[in-house]
Amino acid sequence: MPPSNATTTPPEAIAAARSNLLLDTLPVSAVTNAMVALIAVAPLSSSLASTGLWIWAAVMLGLQGMRLLLWLAWRRSPSTATDTETNQRHRRLRLLRGTAWATGASWGAIPLALFPADRLAQSMVAFILAGISGAAVAGLAFDAWTSGVFIVSLILPLAARLFFTGTPMTTAMAAMVCIYLLYLAVAIRRGQSQFLQLLDWRTRAEAGSARAQRQARLHAVLAQSNQLGATATHAESFYTAVCAAAVDSGALLRATVLLSSVIEPPKDAAAPPIAEAAWREGRLQFIPRDGVTAACMPLRVQGRIEALLCVEAATLPGEEASLREWLQNLGASLERGLQAIAQRAHIERLQKLYSALIRVGEVVLQARSADEMVAHTCNTLAEDTQFHAAWLAQPDPDGAFHILARAGEGAVQLDHFRVRLNDTNRAPLVLRVWDTQTLQVCNDLLHDPHMLPWRQTLAHYRWHAALAAPVRRGGALWGVLVFTSPQAGAFDDQTIGLCEQVAALLGYGLDEFDVKERLSQLQRIEAHRARHDTLTGLPNRYALEQYLPAVIERARRQGNAFALGMIDLDGFKRINDTWGHSAGDRVLRELTRRLQAVRRQGDYLARLGGDEFIVVMEDLNPLEVHGQFAHSVERLRQAVAAPFDIAPNVQMPMDMSIGIASYPIDARDADTLMRLADKAMYAAKSSKSQTQG
């Protein structure tokens, strides 16, 4: 017997199965009853009036003909458990059962109205009716109602007629018929139980298959989400692609991502209550109902809820836990994708800022006047950067700020800029800079209560964040350079530092028109900073991305191979957490010194960030590439083997994990090589953790 919590067939599916089986057995049953009826006429015709007998035979044949017509009409449209016409299905089942009962009642008419007086004919009739009863049980046991009514309407009249005939022989036959009726009842009960058990087995098999297919679809969606997260460049397109993949694959009925701005005040009336609950409580909301589960979970980036994933999924009994786990995994995949997108966007913004900084330096060097320098600087900052607009303001002798230069979206509104040094409202950033003589930042202009008078205009032009930097000339505050961005929170430490450098560079240019050499040197310094890590002095990710295409082209042209290794220090986070970031910085500088000491001449060493480094080993023999870079890897490991000075009189041994990808064996483009090396490095780290565990 199946366990009590096993999947069972729902009543609608049982009714549909019975209806289909009754329909399938109908032609055999009708033909059998018709033929046996014709055969029964022979023993009855000798002892009964032919008129009543032939009327009975005609009724029986007509009834079976009608059953065959029903079969012909319905055979191409079997009943299903999902049929929307529930009443029609039940009417069909009742009609099939009714025709079966009518057939049994027709046979029961023989002992009631056409029972022969001859004992041999009586025995023959009893034999025929018993055989018909057994055949009905054999063919209709899956439907207790149909087979039971058929047998009762046939056997009870026969038993009664035999009993009331009153002869010892007919009385004995009546007793045997009653015993036979009990036997048939047991057979019907057993057949009914077997039918339901087989139906439950089939239902569980179908449910298991459906679950397996569903799990396969769910895992495929997770894999596709991970792949999309590794390549997507915009969060909105990433959301759309993942939701479309989940719905198109059949894993979900509906999937949508609501941005945090839809839930935050002012709320969108279209936001569902479950989304508001997920936003308010900051956790997954899971509501199963009538085979469909609605769920909504927050998606976080750096601890802040950026969006809500809202889905609807069809669920089978007992599937809620696995669906909940899958949704959490999908949410984690989306968050990883969002972090990767944010990181790539951040790197791209910094690269553009570095490029803009270099171009500003060129503007400063080439400008022929202060006005030209300021105007070209604002144009440069508003072109191909994350800034919507850039402008520079300066107070006139009367204390009223006027705009010296402006560029970008919404900058035209500055023609009506009315701010004075003696204003009582000191909220404008230009006044804050003038008061403090320092850089000022507001990363959320629309929600800053001090900016309420200008909120409507700021929202219209999508000025969501702003930074104002002092521009000094001749050692004194001369003007205020303002940057605006459409993204709240756009000004992080690195961006602030670069904006501050832009303002400083502009000040230098204003101070020294005639010192071209000094500004040229400053440009070279800034260009170097754009490509090198400030802590270790190594090339950074930006420099590496520019370097790899040249290496690939050189290796292709010369027919050589090269290897790209991604290095990660094991346990580095523990040093920062225990001894502080200054100790971690010492370890990274010492690691850089050691790696530079043992690398081959011509090897390229870069720092990606944190404790991740890249080494590029060129001029390898394609036939011996594994042996050559294995030797180099061993030298790198030996460099890390000696303990590091963590603090005074404190040394700690370190180890590293390294992942290798080679050109052209593993890949032929920079992105794939980096991804494969990263994957190999994490695999090495995971293997090491499992071994140590």
Side-chain angles (χ1 to χ4, degrees):
M1 293 294 292
S4 59
N5 60 350
T7 303
T8 58
T9 308
E12 288 299 321
I14 294 175
R18 282 176 172 155
S19 178
N20 291 336
L21 285 174
L22 283 174
L23 191 64
D24 291 339
T25 59
L26 192 150
V28 175
S29 173
V31 171
T32 301
N33 279 278
M35 294 180 63
V36 174
L38 292 175
I39 294 172
V41 170
L44 294 174
S45 59
S46 59
S47 57
L48 293 174
S50 59
T51 302
L53 182 61
W54 286 110
I55 291 175
W56 174 85
V59 171
M60 177 64 78
L61 292 177
L63 179 60
Q64 304 314 310
M66 184 185 70
R67 295 179 72 195
L68 287 174
L69 290 176
L70 289 177
W71 175 77
L72 289 172
W74 292 343
R75 60 177 181 155
R76 296 188 181 274
S77 57
S79 179
T80 63
T82 59
D83 192 349
T84 56
E85 299 294 336
T86 304
N87 293 332
Q88 181 180 354
R89 179 173 60 252
H90 285 297
R91 285 197 300 270
R92 176 184 294 188
L93 183 59
R94 287 194 297 269
L95 188 55
L96 288 171
R97 286 173 169 174
T99 58
W101 170 80
T103 301
S106 298
W107 285 110
I110 292 179
L112 289 177
L114 301 173
F115 201 66
D118 181 74
R119 292 183 179 180
L120 180 60
Q122 291 177 355
S123 300
M124 183 63 69
V125 167
F127 173 77
I128 291 174
L129 295 181
I132 287 294
S133 300
V137 170
L140 302 175
F142 57 84
D143 188 0
W145 193 95
T146 303
S147 55
V149 170
F150 185 96
I151 299 306
V152 167
S153 61
L154 187 155
I155 292 296
L156 287 183
L158 176 63
R161 185 57 179 261
L162 290 173
F163 180 79
F164 287 112
T165 299
T167 66
M169 180 177 178
T170 56
T171 302
M173 290 176 64
M176 293 177 63
V177 168
C178 291
I179 294 172
Y180 186 55
L181 178 61
L182 293 176
Y183 168 78
L184 292 179
V186 172
I188 290 172
R189 181 178 178 81
R190 181 175 180 80
Q192 173 78 357
S193 176
Q194 290 177 342
F195 165 73
L196 294 176
Q197 189 177 50
L198 288 172
L199 206 56
D200 286 345
W201 287 344
R202 188 185 72 180
T203 301
R204 288 195 293 275
E206 291 174 350
S209 176
R211 288 192 182 96
Q213 293 176 3
R214 179 179 177 82
Q215 288 299 316
R217 290 194 294 267
L218 293 177
H219 289 311
V221 171
L222 273 181
Q224 194 165 359
S225 174
N226 292 332
Q227 182 179 5
L228 289 169
T231 58
T233 56
H234 296 91
E236 288 78 5
S237 61
F238 176 48
Y239 295 145
T240 302
V242 172
C243 291
V247 174
D248 293 344
S249 67
L252 299 175
L253 299 177
R254 292 179 58 192
T256 185
V257 173
L258 301 177
L259 300 181
S260 59
S261 58
V262 175
I263 309 300
E264 288 182 299
K267 294 189 295 184
D268 189 334
I274 190 174
E276 296 180 19
W279 171 265
R280 184 174 58 255
E281 299 180 20
R283 61 185 177 87
L284 171 66
Q285 301 295 314
F286 197 81
I287 305 177
R289 184 180 300 161
D290 299 330
V292 175
T293 295
C296 192
M297 66 182 302
L299 302 177
R300 291 180 171 86
V301 176
Q302 297 180 347
R304 182 178 183 274
I305 297 178
E306 292 292 329
L308 297 174
L309 172 64
C310 298
V311 304
E312 288 185 4
T315 51
L316 298 173
E319 203 178 34
E320 288 83 1
S322 62
L323 181 60
R324 182 188 296 268
E325 181 181 1
W326 178 82
L327 282 172
Q328 291 172 337
N329 290 335
L330 180 60
S333 174
L334 286 169
E335 289 178 347
R336 288 193 298 271
L338 291 177
Q339 290 172 353
I341 291 170
Q343 184 179 15
R344 287 192 291 271
H346 181 63
I347 292 172
E348 182 181 0
R349 288 195 300 268
L350 289 179
Q351 290 174 351
K352 290 180 178 180
L353 273 179
Y354 279 122
S355 178
L357 181 60
I358 295 171
R359 296 200 306 272
V360 167
E362 295 173 350
V363 167
V364 169
L365 286 173
Q366 298 172 7
R368 291 168 294 183
S369 68
D371 291 342
E372 180 182 339
M373 183 186 302
V374 170
H376 285 183
T377 297
C378 291
N379 287 329
T380 300
L381 293 174
E383 288 180 2
D384 197 28
T385 65
Q386 76 267 39
F387 303 129
H388 253 23
W391 48 281
L392 192 142
Q394 182 189 57
D396 60 20
D398 295 330
F401 277 89
H402 64 279
I403 306 302
L404 296 181
R406 56 177 171 79
E409 184 177 338
V412 66
Q413 69 171 308
L414 296 170
D415 292 342
H416 307 288
F417 189 70
R418 300 289 184 268
V419 174
R420 302 181 62 87
L421 286 176
N422 58 359
D423 286 348
T424 56
N425 184 355
R426 313 305 290 179
L429 292 182
V430 291
L431 290 179
R432 298 186 205 177
V433 171
W434 212 263
D435 290 342
T436 63
Q437 304 280 304
T438 59
L439 181 145
Q440 298 292 312
V441 177
C442 182
N443 264 320
D444 196 354
L445 291 170
L446 300 186
H447 294 90
D448 186 340
H450 298 99
M451 304 304 292
L452 183 60
W454 304 278
R455 180 175 296 174
Q456 185 175 358
T457 301
L458 294 172
H460 176 73
Y461 290 105
R462 296 191 300 148
W463 287 12
H464 291 179
L467 177 148
V471 177
R472 291 178 172 83
R473 189 173 186 179
L477 183 58
W478 175 79
V480 180
L481 180 61
V482 182
F483 308 76
T484 64
S485 172
Q487 179 183 0
F491 295 99
D492 55 18
D493 291 341
Q494 290 176 294
T495 305
I496 291 172
L498 287 171
C499 292
E500 194 170 22
Q501 290 182 45
V502 170
L505 185 58
L506 181 58
Y508 296 151
L510 292 169
D511 274 344
E512 303 188 21
F513 267 111
D514 55 334
V515 189
K516 299 294 183 181
E517 185 61 32
R518 177 182 171 186
L519 293 180
S520 178
Q521 179 64 23
L522 179 61
Q523 181 183 358
R524 289 194 293 271
I525 291 172
E526 296 301 336
H528 181 270
R529 288 179 181 176
R531 293 170 172 79
H532 289 78
D533 174 54
T534 57
L535 177 65
T536 63
L538 292 176
N540 59 14
R541 182 186 291 270
Y542 180 48
L544 177 66
E545 291 176 350
Q546 293 184 326
Y547 175 74
L548 283 178
V551 176
I552 293 173
E553 177 58 24
R554 189 161 52 246
R556 184 194 64 78
R557 188 173 59 251
Q558 297 175 356
N560 291 336
F562 72 88
L564 185 147
M566 183 169 289
I567 300 171
D568 183 88
L569 272 183
D570 296 336
F572 180 76
K573 184 177 183 298
R574 186 173 67 253
I575 294 176
N576 279 335
D577 293 344
T578 305
W579 302 97
H581 288 281
S582 60
D585 291 346
R586 285 195 298 273
V587 169
L588 293 177
R589 284 192 291 265
E590 175 61 15
L591 174 64
T592 300
R593 186 192 64 77
R594 294 185 187 182
L595 294 179
Q596 287 177 324
V598 301
R599 67 176 176 174
R600 301 182 314 159
Q601 185 177 3
D603 285 354
Y604 185 87
L605 186 63
R607 182 189 177 203
L608 293 183
D611 59 337
E612 290 188 346
F613 293 77
I614 289 289
V615 60
V616 181
M617 296 169 275
E618 291 192 72
D619 298 323
L620 302 181
N621 188 330
L623 300 178
E624 301 176 357
V625 62
H626 291 287
Q628 288 178 312
F629 70 64
H631 180 68
S632 296
V633 169
E634 183 58 29
R635 286 191 288 110
L636 295 175
R637 288 190 183 280
Q638 291 176 0
V640 181
F644 287 77
D645 292 327
I646 306 302
N649 301 320
V650 177
Q651 290 187 324
M652 182 178 292
M654 301 289 293
D655 197 4
M656 72 175 187
S657 297
I658 184 168
I660 301 291
S662 62
Y663 173 94
I665 298 172
D666 296 322
R668 295 177 180 268
D669 64 275
D671 289 343
T672 306
L673 285 169
M674 289 283 289
R675 188 165 63 253
L676 292 177
D678 182 73
K679 182 178 180 181
M681 183 270 289
Y682 276 105
K685 185 178 287 289
S686 176
S687 175
K688 190 180 300 182
S689 299
Q690 293 175 359
T691 302
Q692 292 174 353

